[in-house]
């Protein structure tokens, strides 16, 4: 089963990690305790053996059990019941009477210990009794003038140590479940507390829908991870809200722009159908309808181009294009339009600059700019087109002597469907898409476009398109 709650996962991982840590620490403590208990026993046995050795070197009489008890007390702090002291001669035979120990070891002196003692070395052994507890035994030689005169075996039961270790294990085994229970419960509460703001955030985020995009998540101002997350989500909501509003405006504008020619079309056809007419009248209506259909067609084409450019799917048929030649040809083609508007259209400084571009799209972009220049210039005005070679760009400029626009307008004129109120009044046929289409084409060519104007004193549109490298 997959665990879906982060709270449960956190508690699980936290408790597992703590169990592992406790087990590791417990194991380590147990190891250290065993080691230090063993070491203490060996250390004490060695101390007793050393005292016995010096005592026996100094005097010949028997060592009394009371003295042995004293030695054990001195080294262990108490005299254990299960302690042993055996005395052997150098050949390994037990010497009865020495120390008159009440509990001599039943285990015979091992060959290895005797040999080591004969060479003057001490040997520690652990002897596991079958029914009795294990013993720790030290066999040590008693030397006199470099000669082994006796062998002493000091032993002590390991029962106490085993009991201590057992108690330690029992305490650990008892404490572990309690610790885990407490830490698990604490972890569960802590995780719940830490995740509560996320739950609140989820609830608030669930309330925010496309209809209520103005709502935002609460930011506490603590600048912690959750605050940053809330701020990031709020920023994202701002962007979504902005895009959504733009889209709504765009569809409203697009429907409005499409509705106007369709209404005209419908009206003209309805009027034509009201009564029988002469063929020439029908022809006139059809011509007018065709004009409106052209307008709709242009609008739809423009919207399609913008949609493709937005999706990064504007396909460019790239090839070397001489921009000067293209501008020249276009100016020639637009002369009749300029003449119709009584505007002088001419070109100057036509440097030959080759760019890697889609000629049809570049023509479309430039004709939109020239067309605007002609459209917005008053009768008797001038439109000048120039092409220069910049550093690594072709610089195309379209200047006109029209009314221009304010700095505030300059910010918006590239927006879709944006039209200055004056333009709306005087030129009913515009759609407000020409400049945004021009900008999309320029951007698709990795170029740049800007508009400058002094209101009432003409405007200049400058386009930069990167040159071909071989240029
Ligand atoms: P349209 O010309 O169809 O209205 P455009 O996108 O080409 O759409 O232009 C957007 C707006 O920018 C125009 O409505 C007009 O207000 C302003 N504009 C564009 N070109 C010029 C120009 N040469 N002189 C003054 N205003 C301009």
């Amino acid at each position: 089963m997959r665990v879906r709650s982060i709270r449960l996962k956190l508690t699980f991982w936290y408790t597992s990690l703590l169990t592992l840590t406790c087990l590791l620490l417990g194991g380590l403590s147990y190891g250290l305790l065993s080691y230090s208990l063993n070491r203490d026993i060996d250390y004490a046995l060695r101390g007793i053996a050393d005292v016995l050795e010096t005592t026996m070197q100094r005097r010949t009489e028997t060592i009394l059990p009371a003295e042995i008890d004293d030695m054990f007390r001195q080294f262990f702090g108490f005299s254990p019941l299960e302690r042993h002291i055996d005395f052997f001669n150098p050949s390994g035979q037990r010497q009865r009477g020495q120390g008159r120990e009440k509990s001599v070891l039943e285990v015979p002196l091992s060959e290895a210990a005797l040999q080591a003692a004969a060479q003057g070395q001490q040997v520690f052994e652990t002897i596991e009794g079958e029914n009795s507890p294990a013993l720790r035994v030290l066999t040590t030689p008693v030397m006199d003038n470099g000669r082994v005169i006796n062998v002493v075996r000091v032993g002590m039961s390991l029962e106490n140590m085993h009991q201590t270790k057992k108690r330690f294990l029992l305490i650990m085994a008892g404490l572990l479940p309690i610790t885990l229970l407490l830490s698990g419960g604490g972890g569960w509460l802590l995780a719940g507390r830490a995740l509560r703001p996320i739950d609140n955030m989820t609830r608030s985020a669930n309330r925010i829908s496309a209809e209520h995009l103005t709502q935002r998540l609460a930011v506490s101002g603590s600048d912690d991870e959750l605050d940053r997350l809330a701020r990031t989500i709020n920023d994202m909501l701002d962007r979504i809200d902005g895009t959504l509003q733009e889209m709504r405006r765009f569809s409203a504008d697009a429907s409005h722009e499409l509705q106007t020619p369709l209404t005209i079309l419908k009206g003209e056809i309805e009027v034509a159908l009201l009564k029988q007419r002469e063929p020439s009248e029908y022809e006139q209506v059809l011509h007018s309808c065709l004009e409106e259909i052209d307008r709709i067609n242009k609008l739809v084409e423009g919207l399609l181009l913008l949609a493709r450019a937005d999706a990064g799917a504007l396909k460019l048929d790239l090839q070397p294009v001489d921009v000067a030649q293209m501008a020249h040809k276009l100016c020639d083609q637009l002369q009749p339009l300029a003449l119709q508007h009584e505007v002088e259209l001419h070109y100057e400084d036509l440097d030959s600059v080759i760019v890697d571009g889609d000629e049809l799209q570049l023509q479309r972009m430039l004709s939109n700019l020239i067309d605007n220049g002609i459209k917005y210039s008053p009768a008797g005005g001038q439109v000048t087109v120039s092409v220069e070679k910049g550093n690594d760009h072709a610089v195309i400029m379209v200047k006109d002597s029209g009314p221009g626009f304010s700095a505030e307008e300059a910010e918006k004129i590239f927006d879709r469907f944006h039209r200055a109120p004056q333009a709306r009044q005087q030129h009913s046929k515009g759609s407000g898409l020409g400049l945004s289409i021009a900008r999309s084409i320029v951007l698709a060519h990795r170029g740049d476009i800007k508009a400058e104007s002094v209101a009432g004193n003409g405007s200049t549109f400058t386009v930069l398109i990167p040159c071909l490298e071989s240029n």
Side-chain angles (χ1 to χ4, degrees), residues 372-373 375-376 400 404-405 413 418-420 423 430-436 459 461:
N372 275 354
K375 194 163 66 180
Y376 294 112
D400 66 56
F405 37 81
I413 55 172
H418 176 80
R419 307 192 68 207
S431 67
L433 283 184
L435 286 183
S436 31
S459 53
F461 287 83

Side-chain angles (χ1 to χ4, degrees), residues 398-409:
V398 179
K399 278 189 201 168
D400 66 56
S401 56
F405 37 81
S406 62
E408 194 194 334
E409 274 293 311

Side-chain angles (χ1 to χ4, degrees), residues 213-424:
L213 259 183
T214 43
Q215 284 184 21
R216 292 292 175 266
L217 300 180
V219 177
S220 69
S222 59
D223 205 29
D224 57 9
E225 287 85 348
L226 291 172
D227 233 26
R228 288 202 291 276
L229 177 66
R231 235 176 283 136
T232 309
I233 294 178
N234 283 346
D235 287 350
M236 192 178 75
L237 286 172
D238 282 347
R239 288 196 296 275
I240 295 177
D241 193 20
T243 314
L244 217 67
Q245 277 184 25
E246 209 173 289
M247 273 170 62
R248 283 188 184 132
R249 209 169 36 237
F250 181 73
S251 9
D253 288 344
S255 335
H256 177 77
E257 289 300 328
L258 283 168
Q259 203 178 25
T260 314
L262 281 173
T263 313
I264 297 173
L265 206 59
K266 188 168 177 264
E268 281 184 352
I269 294 171
E270 276 172 354
V271 171
L273 289 175
L274 278 180
K275 56 176 179 143
Q276 280 284 336
R277 293 177 190 275
E278 291 297 309
S280 61
E281 280 181 287
Y282 283 124
E283 199 174 325
Q284 203 184 343
V285 171
L286 284 177
H287 272 301
S288 171
C289 287
L290 212 57
E291 242 176 61
E292 291 310 320
I293 288 171
D294 269 352
R295 200 174 148 194
I296 295 172
N297 209 16
K298 254 172 110 175
L299 200 69
V300 171
E301 253 179 42
L303 287 173
L304 215 64
L305 183 138
L306 288 172
R308 284 198 184 119
D310 280 351
L314 184 60
K315 286 213 171 66
L316 295 179
D317 180 15
L318 294 175
Q319 49 197 326
V321 179
D322 185 335
V323 185
Q325 221 174 59
M326 181 192 81
H328 189 170
K329 216 160 76 187
L330 210 58
C331 286
D332 285 348
Q333 280 169 11
L334 290 170
Q335 279 308 342
L337 184 77
L339 219 69
Q340 197 187 329
H341 282 79
E342 296 171 44
V343 170
E344 226 176 275
L345 167 64
H346 51 92
Y347 41 82
E348 57 185 34
D349 299 331
L350 291 184
D351 285 351
S352 168
V353 195
I354 313 288
V355 301
D356 191 21
D358 182 324
E359 186 160 7
L360 267 179
Q361 299 291 13
L362 288 176
Q363 265 181 21
R364 187 176 196 168
M365 176 273 296
L366 191 55
S367 90
N368 279 359
L369 298 183
I370 301 174
D371 192 64
N372 275 354
I374 295 172
K375 194 163 66 180
Y376 294 112
S377 291
Q382 284 189 351
V383 175
T384 311
V385 181
S386 67
V387 177
E388 280 172 39
K389 188 171 181 314
N391 273 344
D392 45 8
H393 285 84
V395 184
I396 309 164
M397 277 195 194
V398 179
K399 278 189 201 168
D400 66 56
S401 56
F405 37 81
S406 62
E408 194 194 334
E409 274 293 311
E411 303 243 314
K412 302 186 202 148
I413 55 172
F414 291 104
D415 289 351
R416 282 154 208 197
F417 295 113
H418 176 80
R419 307 192 68 207
Q422 207 186 349
R424 228 173 253 280

